[in-house]
Amino acid sequence: IETNFTPAQREVRLVQGEVHFHVAKDPSHPFIVSAGRVTMQAIGTAFNVRLRADSVEVLVTEGNVHLGDSEHGSAQSSQTGRSPDQASGKQALIVGERAVIQTVATASVPITIDKPSPTEIDQVLAWESTRLVFDRTPLNDVVDAFNNYNSRQLVLANPTLRNRTLSGVFRADNLDGFIHLLRASVDVIAEPIDGNRILLRATP
């Protein structure tokens, strides 16, 4: 991120990646975030922003956020059919709502707004801690997630295991606990290959 705090306002530009803002309430100093061509303005709010190559994802966890277009200054068109705020000309996003804004080079920025479930919100925010949240997640993706946090690496021995799904919340650094769960509930055998690899294979 890049910051520019002045006597008039607080500005943050998200250059890459993801960030969760907790904004101190200060109406005399608006808090403005830009990510690509998307701008967000909030007062006393908490929200998560993820910048991708072709889109920006905004999830509001407290208060509300106004979305705008930094290139054209016009309100974004919403695929949900909601109208922009009449006073500001911007699209309002309230607590519990998520917007995905396509950052394509058009006169207006098309957005999709939904209201994710508590589990989906946990998944979005799981990056802030060492928790891993899975909801019918393919085992191949589960293994990749654990491998990102541990020096010991999990290896799937059977292609049939790749699409087997798993749900639950786990500590990313508790690899032994996760393996114990696999043995007890998913019919998977875990065998050490060497000091840094653990082979997962289906029970015969």
Side-chain angles (χ1 to χ4, degrees):
I1 63 172
E2 296 176 351
T3 61
N4 181 28
F5 283 26
T6 70
Q9 64 185 20
R10 298 165 290 172
E11 292 181 288
V12 176
R13 186 169 79 93
L14 178 59
V15 179
Q16 65 178 9
E18 186 168 6
V19 62
H20 193 183
F21 295 101
H22 293 265
V23 184
K25 190 171 184 178
D26 185 358
S28 63
H29 299 86
F31 187 85
I32 300 172
V33 177
S34 62
R37 59 184 289 187
V38 181
T39 61
M40 293 142 269
Q41 183 168 339
I43 298 176
T45 303
F47 60 105
N48 195 78
V49 184
R50 177 186 296 177
L51 177 60
R52 294 193 172 102
D54 58 355
S55 65
V56 176
E57 179 182 304
V58 183
L59 172 66
V60 181
T61 56
E62 182 182 318
N64 60 77
V65 171
H66 283 184
L67 304 175
D69 181 352
S70 62
E71 291 189 10
H72 299 280
S74 59
Q76 290 88 346
S77 61
S78 170
Q79 294 181 13
T80 62
R82 286 169 45 178
S83 300
D85 180 77
Q86 294 297 319
S88 66
K90 297 179 180 180
Q91 180 71 61
L93 200 64
I94 64 175
V95 61
E97 289 187 333
R98 172 179 56 189
V100 177
I101 307 103
Q102 302 300 321
T103 53
V104 291
T106 58
S108 62
V109 182
I111 74 175
T112 302
I113 297 175
D114 68 349
K115 201 171 182 67
S117 68
T119 299
E120 289 177 302
I121 291 175
D122 282 343
Q123 288 178 310
V124 172
L125 301 179
W127 68 270
E128 295 185 279
S129 67
T130 57
R131 290 181 306 146
L132 296 175
V133 182
F134 305 120
D135 182 20
R136 297 184 296 276
T137 304
L139 192 55
N140 185 57
D141 293 338
V142 173
V143 164
D144 287 344
F146 271 99
N147 285 346
N148 284 334
Y149 285 92
N150 293 275
S151 58
R152 289 186 297 162
Q153 299 288 284
L154 301 173
V155 179
L156 291 178
N158 307 93
T160 54
L161 288 177
R162 295 173 62 88
N163 295 321
R164 188 176 295 186
T165 61
L166 184 73
S167 298
V169 180
F170 306 89
R171 276 179 46 191
D173 57 354
N174 187 12
L175 187 59
D176 290 330
F178 173 68
I179 292 172
H180 178 76
L181 174 71
L182 287 180
R183 289 170 173 162
S185 61
V186 195
D187 297 326
V188 171
I189 297 174
E191 300 175 339
I193 303 176
D194 51 41
N196 291 317
R197 292 188 299 165
I198 300 170
L199 185 68
L200 304 179
R201 60 183 179 85
T203 304

